Amino acid sequence: MDTANTQNMTVIGEDVEIVGSVKCSSSIQIDGKLNGDLTCSGKAVIGSGANIKGNLNVDAVSIIGQVNGNVTAKDIVELKASARMNGDVRGKRLVVEDGVTFVGKAEVNPSGAATGRPAPAESKPSAEPEAAAPQGDRDDDKKGGFFGKK
Amino acid sequence: MPERHEIVCYECGFAFVLQGRFEKTYCPKCRQCLTFETITIDGVSRRTVKTIGVVTVTPAGKIAGGRIVATDVILAGAINGGQVCVSRRLELREGATFKPDCVSMRDVRIHAGARIALDHDLVCRDLEVDGFLKARVHADGLIAVRRGGFLSGEIHGPRLAVQDGAGLSAVLDVGPGCAPAAPRKTSTAPAEKPTLSQPETRPEKKKRAPASRKGKPRKAAQNKST
């Protein structure tokens, strides 16, 4: 994360309730209530006491509280153990910790290739390319990762 | 440290732990002799196999009948008939196919590089995805998608963990209050475990005063003297 963004982080306290949309170009941390959409060009942190009723359109988001709406991220979506997500999640990467409550749909494909994802009705035959194997397991020896080494 | 083995008796379902190397052991509960064998099936099999070890079905292997009872099963071939009871984990490798009515297992692991697409519901306790899986998953425990893995379809269960780098394209119903919709198959253990027969009602024992032994010689004393 850019240091400029961390320095310009906006914090909405626990006792704040916002009705309406919020737009920001830097990072934001919401610990209060938001009844509306959030559009953020940086990283958004939804605190443990936060309650969002609306859609999130962010670069990256870390959810610790509750979100009732859809989340669209350009990069990573993190759902921490106490997160409660009620809606759809779409992003490049997804990290879900054990303990999350998640009701909705998730669409995350970090490799970006056709790794056998069910073909939509308007495109691609059902035959899946053999070469489109998951690439991440080759890197497992180098990195420890969340689950540790295999 | 010697290797630790979690063993489930394939006769009574009693679970216990042993350390070290052994070829045979006895169930502490039913005293059944349990063999620890690693068996490989690389052809058409209709035999009955019972082991507390691992059964591997190679890509050329096919289980068409009989009964296989094992702690772990590594499946790269096909299970088209018979009955396969896995007391712990079923590992699916590339090319694996099975009929849901023929297999009962506790945990499932999708090996890295495997590409599995199931038409039926996958009911298990824990699911670990290192490869590609497309299925309707109903789990009692933890569904873990590791880096490089991809899970598609539907997910129902109390716990989900997704590692950074994993793919997910599914409808989710995950949380502590989410119970799996499909009934879960039982594991290797028989449905009815042997229990000691006990009467439903016990007559109350009345305490009575110990009889006096004055004048009556003890039998033990008589035996000793003779």
Side-chain angles (χ1 to χ4, degrees):
Chain A
M1 190 165 57
D2 296 336
T3 46
N5 281 339
T6 53
Q7 292 173 356
N8 296 334
M9 177 176 269
T10 303
V11 178
I12 296 174
E14 282 183 17
D15 55 342
V16 177
E17 182 172 348
I18 298 174
V19 179
S21 300
V22 173
K23 273 189 182 179
C24 67
S25 56
S26 59
S27 300
I28 186 170
Q29 178 173 334
I30 300 177
D31 293 321
K33 290 185 180 178
L34 171 61
N35 290 334
D37 296 343
L38 170 66
T39 304
C40 176
S41 302
K43 179 173 180 176
V45 177
I46 311 302
S48 57
N51 192 333
I52 312 290
K53 290 181 182 177
N55 299 324
L56 307 184
N57 200 332
V58 297
D59 278 4
V61 63
S62 179
I63 300 173
I64 308 170
Q66 184 170 352
V67 174
N68 292 308
N70 300 329
V71 176
T72 304
K74 291 181 183 175
D75 189 19
I76 187 170
V77 176
E78 287 179 304
L79 300 179
K80 300 296 185 183
S82 59
R84 285 175 290 171
M85 179 71 208
N86 198 343
D88 299 345
V89 170
R90 185 181 291 267
K92 190 176 177 185
R93 294 151 59 199
L94 174 67
V95 177
V96 178
E97 289 186 2
D98 188 7
V100 164
T101 299
F102 192 160
V103 179
K105 196 175 175 184
E107 194 72 41
V108 174
N109 191 355
S111 62
T115 54
R117 170 169 67 168
E122 64 274 11
S123 67
K124 293 185 181 180
S126 58
E128 296 149 356
E130 291 179 357
Q135 299 173 0
D137 54 349
R138 295 194 186 96
D139 296 329
D140 276 341
D141 294 336
K142 298 178 185 174
K143 299 178 186 175
F146 178 73
F147 290 98
K149 293 183 180 179
K150 291 183 184 175
Chain B
M1 289 293 288
E3 191 178 352
R4 199 166 172 268
H5 302 278
E6 294 178 359
I7 298 168
V8 177
C9 173
Y10 44 71
E11 296 294 338
C12 69
F14 183 72
F16 57 101
V17 176
L18 275 184
Q19 284 188 326
R21 290 185 182 180
F22 52 91
E23 292 182 358
K24 287 183 183 179
T25 187
Y26 291 89
C27 173
K29 190 169 183 182
C30 67
R31 308 307 300 171
Q32 174 71 28
C33 180
L34 308 174
T35 54
F36 188 87
E37 289 180 275
T38 301
I39 297 170
T40 301
I41 298 174
D42 53 6
V44 178
S45 170
R46 291 187 179 86
R47 56 178 175 155
T48 296
V49 170
K50 287 187 178 181
T51 177
I52 52 174
V54 181
V55 171
T56 302
V57 183
T58 63
K62 187 176 175 182
I63 298 173
R67 188 162 182 255
I68 293 178
V69 181
T71 300
D72 296 322
V73 171
I74 298 172
L75 181 64
I79 299 175
N80 295 334
Q83 191 68 29
V84 177
C85 302
V86 189
S87 62
R88 191 167 61 189
R89 188 170 72 182
L90 173 66
E91 183 172 315
L92 301 178
R93 298 205 170 182
E94 190 168 359
T97 57
F98 66 97
K99 289 185 178 178
D101 297 336
C102 300
V103 183
S104 65
M105 65 282 180
R106 194 181 71 178
D107 303 333
V108 177
R109 178 172 180 248
I110 309 298
H111 191 258
R115 307 177 64 79
I116 308 293
L118 303 176
D119 296 330
H120 50 81
D121 292 350
L122 180 62
V123 182
C124 59
R125 190 188 70 166
D126 292 338
L127 172 65
E128 201 175 309
V129 180
D130 288 274
F132 172 81
L133 174 65
K134 181 184 172 186
R136 290 186 301 274
V137 178
H138 301 268
D140 286 337
L142 176 64
I143 301 168
V145 188
R146 291 179 176 266
R147 178 181 301 154
F150 195 97
L151 182 52
S152 168
E154 290 181 30
I155 299 171
H156 302 269
R159 297 161 62 200
L160 171 69
V162 178
Q163 196 177 9
D164 190 7
L168 193 61
S169 174
V171 175
L172 294 117
D173 185 12
V174 172
C178 299
R184 186 163 172 270
K185 286 181 181 178
T186 55
S187 61
T188 316
E192 295 177 0
K193 293 183 181 179
T195 54
L196 294 173
S197 58
Q198 291 180 357
E200 291 181 357
T201 56
R202 275 186 161 182
E204 292 181 1
K205 286 186 179 178
K206 291 182 181 178
K207 290 184 181 178
R208 51 183 180 175
S212 59
R213 283 189 169 274
K214 290 181 182 178
K216 293 183 180 180
R218 289 185 179 181
K219 290 182 181 180
Q222 285 180 352
N223 290 337
K224 282 182 183 178
S225 61
T226 55

